[in-house]
């Protein structure tokens, strides 16, 4: 096992060049800005696309047929995203084996970011209104378009987070880059939550003269997200620089797709971190995906939904810069587990005060405050498992290893799409329904799916991390030391 190898690592002074310890200010800012657009894009693709499908995509179709089509689309999205889970490691392998004068990651940032931006606008137009002309042809072309969109978005996402070990081999510097990336991501993801309703209703009014959601409003929303996505991907491509440490330059060739899957399967710490994060991600998106419905159909106050975005943005702005500071004094496993405890408190408040705006607001604070810490700890643990895997099998799979996190988010997103669609249909929260139409049974169904089940999953996530995840900052430093010794000795 790698743990025993680390314990036996020699302590003499290494003759190799020191790994990159500190990135430039430009590199840090450019990297952080990159995730503003990327996270906004992910939110538009995972959360608001299904809201768009259930509210406006089939607005011109008979209600009975629309209900069936909503079920078909949400089901297809779930199937497509789960099927593409197996593609992400292959995409990571392609990135790992890319050799250009710009490095491994920048070309895929530009290609993935640009193509996915164009396709996002396309799906938010209902394939240019084809949905109202030929529903069968629309379903066929939608499947093809959504698969291609998801693949190119994955190339952007995998290459973005895969850059962290290429920017630095020091765990604390990685913490800084991860904090900055998460900071930008919080602004992009949660900022979109603040502006989505104003953007959609404003452009809907411009084109229809009505202050309500419409196809034109959602299309303009997608165009804005796409433009932001292209601008921020250029920031990463032209503002960052990969390092050339011994760990990277002297690593063995990564091999083909089979070697990529083998590398993942042999990395036990990677798998345990992945399982814990997957459980967290599923619970998180299952709740965030239906919060808009709670404000619209239970609180009967759609305008107040912006509170969700305000709370989440403020939480991200406060917590992301604090992470590397606190992590110097507090091991990240305790930051992770402490975050889980706060989320549990948030869920309990949601359960007892679903119809009380004040209680819900406090619950949102507990729910969003620790999420940056949880996500950053998971990303850093996955990143540090790269050297853990390199020590075990000699292969340095940067993008393949870090393709796991987007893969997990994709699984969670698929679950979210399915849950949102199912809840919307089961609770009658579709089409022209209002809060007055909600029954006690509708509200109970909502609470079970949105709060009770995710709460149980969050607790399970914390238990897995506590009992099975062993890789720490000190363990990673020992691994790096031993790897440098081995590589320099040939």
């Amino acid at each position: 096992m790698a743990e025993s190898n680390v314990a036996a690592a020699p302590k003499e002074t290494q003759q190799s060049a020191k790994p990159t310890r500190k990135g430039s200010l430009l590199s840090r800012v450019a990297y952080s800005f990159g995730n503003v657009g990327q996270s906004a894009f992910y939110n538009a693709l995972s959360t608001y696309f299904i809201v768009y499908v259930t509210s406006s995509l089939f607005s011109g179709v008979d209600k009975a047929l629309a209900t069936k089509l909503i079920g078909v689309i949400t089901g297809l999205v779930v199937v497509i995203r789960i099927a593409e889970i197996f593609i992400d490691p292959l995409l990571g392998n392609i990135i790992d084996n890319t050799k250009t004068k710009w490095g491994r990651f920048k070309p895929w940032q530009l290609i993935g970011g640009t193509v996915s931006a164009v396709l996002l606008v396309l799906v938010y137009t209902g394939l240019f209104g084809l949905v109202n002309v030929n529903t069968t042809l629309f379903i066929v072309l939608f499947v093809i378009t959504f698969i291609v969109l998801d693949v190119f978005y994955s190339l952007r996402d995998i290459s973005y987070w895969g850059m962290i070990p290429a920017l630095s081999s020091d765990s604390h510097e990685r913490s800084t880059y991860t904090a900055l990336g998460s900071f930008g991501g919080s602004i992009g993801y949660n900022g979109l939550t603040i502006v989505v309703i104003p953007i959609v209703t404003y452009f809907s009014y411009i084109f229809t003269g009505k202050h309500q959601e419409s196809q034109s409003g959602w299309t303009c929303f997608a165009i804005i997200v796409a433009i932001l996505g292209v601008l921020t991907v250029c920031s990463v491509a032209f503002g960052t620089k990969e390092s050339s440490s011994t760990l990277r330059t002297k690593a063995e060739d990564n091999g083909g797709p089979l070697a990529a899957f083998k590398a993942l399967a042999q990395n036990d710490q990677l798998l345990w971190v992945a399982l814990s994060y997957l459980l967290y991600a599923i619970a998180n998106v299952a709740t965030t995906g239906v919060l808009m419905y709670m404000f619209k159909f239970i609180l009967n106050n759609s305008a107040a939904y912006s509170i969700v975005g305000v709370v989440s943005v403020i939480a991200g702005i406060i917590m992301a810069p604090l992470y590397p500071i606190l992590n110097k004094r507090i091991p990240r496993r305790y930051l992770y587990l402490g975050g889980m405890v706060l989320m549990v408190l948030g869920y309990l408040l949601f359960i007892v005060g679903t119809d009380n705006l004040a209680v819900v607001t406090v619950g949102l604070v507990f729910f969003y405050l620790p999420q940056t810490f949880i996500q950053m700890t998971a990303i850093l643990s996955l990143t540090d498992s790269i050297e853990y895997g390199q020590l075990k099998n000699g292969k340095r799979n940067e993008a393949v290893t870090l393709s796991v996190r987007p893969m997990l988010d994709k699984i969670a997103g698929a679950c979210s799409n399915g849950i949102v669609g199912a809840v919307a249909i089961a609770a009658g929260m579709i089409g022209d329904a209002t809060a007055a139409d909600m029954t006690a049974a509708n509200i109970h169904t909502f609470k079970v799916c949105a709060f009770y089940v995710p709460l149980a999953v969050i607790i399970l996530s914390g238990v897995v991390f506590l009992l099975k995840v062993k890789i720490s900052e000190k363990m990673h430093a020992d691994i790096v030391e031993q790897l440098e010794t081995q590589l320099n000795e040939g």
Side-chain angles (χ1 to χ4, degrees):
M1 292 296 293
E3 289 88 344
S4 60
N5 290 338
V6 171
K11 301 299 183 182
E12 64 266 20
T13 303
Q14 305 301 318
Q15 299 301 316
S16 63
K18 291 289 184 183
T20 304
R21 298 297 180 189
K22 186 175 182 180
S24 68
L25 178 61
L26 173 62
S27 179
R28 290 178 171 185
V29 172
Y31 188 81
S32 177
F33 185 57
N35 205 26
V36 173
Q38 180 163 293
S39 293
F41 193 100
Y42 174 75
N43 201 2
L45 183 62
S46 63
T47 301
Y48 297 112
F49 177 69
I50 296 300
V51 174
Y52 157 67
V53 168
T54 59
S55 64
S56 298
L57 179 59
F58 300 111
S59 59
V61 180
D62 175 73
K63 186 172 182 179
L65 178 59
T67 299
K68 293 180 181 179
L69 291 175
I70 289 171
V72 170
I73 289 293
T74 54
L76 285 173
V77 170
V78 172
V79 172
I80 290 170
R81 306 204 82 175
I82 290 178
E84 288 195 30
I85 290 166
F86 303 100
I87 297 177
D88 282 357
L90 302 181
L91 299 178
N93 185 249
I94 291 173
I95 296 171
D96 272 334
N97 288 295
T98 297
K99 296 180 180 179
T100 72
K101 63 180 181 180
W102 300 285
R104 293 178 180 175
F105 304 101
K106 292 182 179 182
W108 296 111
Q109 279 286 289
L110 288 172
I111 296 171
T114 303
V115 174
S116 60
V118 173
L119 294 180
L120 181 75
V121 175
L122 181 59
V123 297
Y124 265 93
T125 64
L127 301 187
F128 294 117
L130 180 62
V131 63
N132 296 313
V133 178
N134 189 321
T135 54
T136 301
L137 181 59
F138 167 78
I139 294 296
V140 173
L141 293 181
F142 169 81
V143 171
I144 297 172
T145 304
F146 197 88
I147 290 174
V148 177
L149 164 60
D150 222 26
V151 166
F152 278 93
Y153 168 76
S154 294
L155 283 168
R156 173 181 179 170
D157 196 28
I158 293 169
S159 61
Y160 179 82
W161 293 108
M163 291 188 77
I164 292 179
L167 296 172
S168 177
S169 58
D170 177 70
S171 187
H172 287 294
E173 179 62 13
R174 289 176 177 180
S175 175
T176 300
Y177 272 106
T178 304
L180 290 171
S182 298
F183 179 76
S186 177
I187 293 175
Y189 187 94
N190 298 314
L192 197 70
T193 302
I194 296 175
V195 302
V196 56
I197 295 300
I199 288 176
V200 173
T201 54
Y202 172 76
F203 283 103
S204 295
Y205 177 75
I206 293 295
F207 287 97
T208 69
K210 298 179 181 180
H211 291 285
Q212 60 185 32
E213 299 171 30
S214 71
Q215 173 65 63
S216 54
W218 282 108
T219 299
C220 291
F221 164 77
I223 291 173
I224 292 172
V225 173
I227 292 173
L228 178 63
V230 172
L231 291 175
T232 53
V233 83
C234 290
S235 170
V236 177
F238 300 112
T240 60
K241 182 179 180 181
E242 296 181 28
S243 68
S244 300
S245 67
T246 300
L247 300 182
R248 302 189 73 227
T249 58
K250 293 188 178 183
E252 297 179 24
D253 290 338
N254 293 299
L258 291 179
F261 282 105
K262 184 178 179 181
L264 296 179
Q266 291 179 336
N267 195 326
D268 58 288
Q269 285 301 290
L270 166 67
L271 296 178
W272 285 120
V273 174
L275 176 59
S276 178
Y277 180 78
L278 174 62
L279 293 170
Y280 154 78
I282 290 175
N284 182 45
V285 298
T287 299
T288 57
V290 295
L291 285 178
M292 181 181 288
Y293 293 98
M294 178 174 67
F295 278 83
K296 182 176 181 180
F297 294 104
I298 299 178
L299 291 169
N300 194 24
N301 191 348
S302 295
Y305 178 68
S306 294
I307 293 174
V308 176
V310 172
V311 170
S312 54
V313 166
I314 292 176
I317 291 174
I318 293 174
M319 303 307 284
L322 279 178
Y323 187 90
I325 297 173
L326 294 177
N327 190 211
K328 290 182 179 180
R329 297 169 176 81
I330 304 173
R332 59 191 179 209
R333 69 182 290 104
Y334 297 118
L335 296 176
Y336 188 93
L337 296 172
M340 291 290 179
V341 172
L342 291 180
M343 286 195 72
V344 168
L345 294 175
Y347 272 113
L348 294 176
L349 288 172
F350 288 151
I351 290 171
V352 301
T354 310
D355 57 353
N356 187 304
L357 182 59
V359 176
V360 166
T361 302
V362 176
L364 289 171
V365 173
F366 282 104
F367 181 77
Y368 280 106
L369 201 63
Q371 290 196 16
T372 298
F373 281 15
I374 294 171
Q375 293 166 3
M376 288 175 59
T377 298
I379 292 170
L380 285 167
S381 298
L382 290 172
T383 303
D384 286 355
S385 72
I386 291 172
E387 284 78 25
Y388 177 88
Q390 186 177 1
L391 182 63
K392 291 189 69 174
N393 57 42
K395 306 291 186 182
R396 184 177 177 84
N397 302 99
E398 294 176 336
V400 168
T401 299
L402 291 176
S403 71
V404 170
R405 189 207 55 78
M407 181 173 65
L408 299 176
D409 283 335
K410 191 170 291 184
I411 297 174
C415 292
S416 174
N417 295 153
I419 290 171
V420 172
V423 170
I425 293 173
M429 298 176 176
I430 62 173
D432 299 326
T434 66
D437 300 319
M438 297 300 103
T439 65
N442 295 147
I443 295 174
H444 178 70
T445 298
F446 176 87
K447 291 177 70 172
V448 169
C449 295
F451 305 135
Y452 284 101
V453 174
L455 172 58
V457 177
I458 281 291
I459 293 173
L460 181 59
S461 171
V463 171
V464 170
F465 196 91
L466 176 65
L467 298 181
K468 292 297 185 178
V469 176
K470 307 299 182 185
I471 193 165
S472 64
E473 295 89 330
K474 183 180 185 303
M475 179 179 176
H476 176 259
D478 291 340
I479 289 173
V480 170
E481 182 181 359
Q482 182 172 349
L483 275 172
E484 287 189 325
T485 299
Q486 292 179 353
L487 292 172
N488 280 312
E489 291 176 352

